[in-house]
Amino acid sequence: MSNNSPDLQGADSPPAMYTEEDARTAISALALTNNQDAEAVTDSQGETVDDDTLLFAPLTQSEVDNCAFSSWYPNFSRVTFKSEIIRPLDAEFVKYLLSDGVFVPGQKRMEYHGELEEFGSSNGSDWSDSDDGGDVVEDISSTTAEISRRIELLGGSAFPRTTWSAPTDADWASTTSTLECKTPQDVYWLLKASTKIAKDLLNERYPALASVEPELVLREWANLHPSMVFRCFVRNNSLIGISQVDVQFHKFLSEMSADIEQKLQKFFAAHASKFPSESYCYDVYVARTVDRVLVMDFEPWSYSVDSCLFEWRELCTAEYLGLRLFPEGVNPLGHFSAKYSSSRFPIEMTADAYHASVATMIERMKSEQP
């Protein structure tokens, strides 16, 4: 893989050639540093840095606010999924989302008052409906009606998120194991079950920095193939690296790697480079059946953001790292189990059958453009 930085303004220039051996070497080194002390590097002042977090300047309020969904969506609405933003959120609705338990309005939670048996089951007498007032929910009927209306505007299916996060940690609460929602009740299940959403609402993700009020976002649903999601890293207004997000080997990606890299270089030059921060990360989806790249989300340049198949030390020092794909013959669990023990990235949609739905969605987007 070439270390020469490509001319992104001349987007038709050939990208650096991807080689599987380059990726294998880099990923093996990354796995090694995840499991033992890494060699020290130096920061911009030439000082030795042993802790990767010291490579990053403190985030500013503007860098955080720029990544709030309602901040970037208006400027990128033509190159992302159609979305509906509900804000400000009703205080009673926020109170409901932050209340204890996973339940939807109108449903009682069950409480257990007996002792669990090692074998067998009780006769049911130890179970009862909660009647201590804990299930009394403030009136959120107006929010429910608004969510229903917005889902219809999006074609009858949507996936929810809030200011900075999607409830990717709560797909266990969905009957379909996806984030697809067709009713307000589907939305409530996911939001109530998600720790990420609670942190957004409590402003715990970026404490003392974020100034954007909480918002509920409903995005047009589409079945997307996870192998076609890529994370792009921008440092000082230059595209530094592109990483496959799905930690699996896909042979077809190697075969089309040059085309993917060139498409994402062009997308950066034409669109993503207009993002107001100097350094940031963003996720994109490359549609295979139509020649289209769609932005999924923006994240600040922060150690808390997953660096995927790169090491943050590389990204903070290299000129250009090109496209990195997961190579054949590498066990992702053996190499990345520690790094990816928690949710890796804010991917909001995963499924297998996606060709027809993506093509339909993009055609609809084109027809709606002036």
Side-chain angles (χ1 to χ4, degrees):
M1 205 177 304
S2 171
N3 288 325
N4 295 326
S5 179
D7 180 8
L8 296 182
Q9 299 305 317
D12 291 331
S13 60
M17 282 301 296
Y18 163 81
T19 66
E20 187 171 305
E21 188 57 36
D22 287 336
R24 188 185 304 278
T25 300
I27 292 172
S28 295
L30 174 58
L32 182 64
T33 58
N34 282 333
N35 292 283
Q36 67 181 39
D37 291 335
E39 294 183 4
V41 297
T42 57
D43 60 16
S44 58
Q45 282 74 43
E47 298 293 330
T48 299
V49 175
D50 294 308
D51 183 351
D52 285 1
T53 61
L54 300 180
L55 293 168
F56 296 83
L59 286 174
T60 65
Q61 179 174 310
S62 62
E63 289 174 324
V64 171
D65 288 349
N66 288 343
C67 294
F69 186 86
S70 59
S71 296
W72 64 261
Y73 178 73
N75 294 327
F76 292 89
S77 60
R78 293 188 178 186
V79 290
T80 190
F81 305 94
K82 183 179 179 180
S83 303
E84 293 287 329
I85 302 173
I86 301 176
R87 60 181 297 198
L89 295 180
D90 186 82
E92 301 300 327
F93 178 61
V94 175
K95 185 177 180 181
Y96 155 67
L97 292 179
L98 294 176
S99 62
D100 292 338
V102 180
F103 65 99
V104 299
Q107 290 187 342
K108 285 184 174 292
R109 287 169 289 181
M110 300 297 290
E111 292 184 356
Y112 185 71
H113 305 290
E115 295 182 358
L116 295 176
E117 299 179 5
E118 185 174 2
F119 299 102
S121 60
S122 71
N123 59 10
S125 60
D126 291 326
W127 290 91
S128 67
D129 291 339
S130 174
D131 57 1
D132 60 358
D135 289 324
V136 176
V137 179
E138 288 72 14
D139 183 11
I140 61 171
S141 57
S142 60
T143 301
T144 299
E146 187 63 16
I147 292 175
S148 294
R149 187 178 74 84
R150 302 296 184 99
I151 290 177
E152 287 302 313
L153 291 176
L154 294 172
S157 293
F159 68 91
R161 59 165 292 165
T162 46
T163 313
W164 292 282
S165 306
T168 51
D169 57 337
D171 56 359
W172 59 268
S174 168
T175 57
T176 61
S177 296
T178 71
L179 302 188
E180 181 181 13
C181 296
K182 295 186 176 181
T183 68
Q185 288 69 32
D186 294 338
V187 173
Y188 297 155
W189 275 119
L190 291 174
L191 298 184
K192 287 286 290 177
S194 173
T195 301
K196 290 183 176 182
I197 299 304
K199 287 184 177 181
D200 264 19
L201 296 175
L202 293 170
N203 197 25
E204 292 181 353
R205 186 172 182 185
Y206 302 110
L209 280 178
S211 62
V212 179
E213 60 184 343
E215 59 198 21
L216 173 62
V217 180
L218 298 173
R219 310 204 71 189
E220 184 176 15
W221 173 261
N223 292 317
L224 303 185
H225 199 295
S227 65
M228 299 306 294
V229 178
F230 299 89
R231 173 155 290 181
C232 302
F233 300 88
V234 178
R235 191 185 80 235
N236 297 329
N237 297 314
S238 296
L239 181 62
I240 299 300
I242 305 165
S243 174
Q244 175 185 336
V245 172
D246 186 32
V247 189
Q248 296 185 61
F249 170 71
H250 299 280
K251 183 178 180 180
F252 72 89
L253 287 181
S254 298
E255 296 169 349
M256 59 190 300
S257 62
D259 181 55
I260 291 174
E261 186 170 3
Q262 189 172 63
K263 282 183 178 180
L264 295 184
Q265 289 175 0
K266 288 182 177 180
F267 184 83
F268 173 74
H271 302 288
S273 60
K274 296 178 174 61
F275 191 73
S277 299
E278 291 185 357
S279 300
Y280 52 96
C281 314
Y282 62 97
D283 291 343
V284 293
Y285 184 78
V286 180
R288 292 178 62 189
T289 56
V290 288
D291 188 19
R292 192 76 184 270
V293 175
L294 298 170
V295 65
M296 300 178 70
D297 204 3
F298 286 92
E299 295 274 4
W301 184 266
S302 168
Y303 186 73
S304 63
V305 175
D306 178 37
S307 58
C308 297
L309 300 181
F310 293 111
E311 185 183 0
W312 268 119
R313 296 187 179 203
E314 296 177 275
L315 294 166
C316 289
T317 57
E319 291 298 320
Y320 181 68
L321 295 166
L323 170 66
R324 186 167 293 176
L325 303 178
F326 200 88
E328 186 176 12
V330 175
N331 180 1
L333 293 179
H335 284 74
F336 297 98
S337 57
K339 182 179 182 185
Y340 297 127
S341 59
S342 60
S343 182
R344 305 192 308 270
F345 43 82
I347 288 192
E348 299 154 328
M349 306 163 290
T350 57
D352 294 326
Y354 67 97
H355 295 280
S357 60
V358 173
T360 300
M361 176 192 65
I362 293 178
E363 286 303 315
R364 184 183 306 143
M365 292 172 62
K366 289 180 177 178
S367 66
E368 292 174 353
Q369 294 180 10

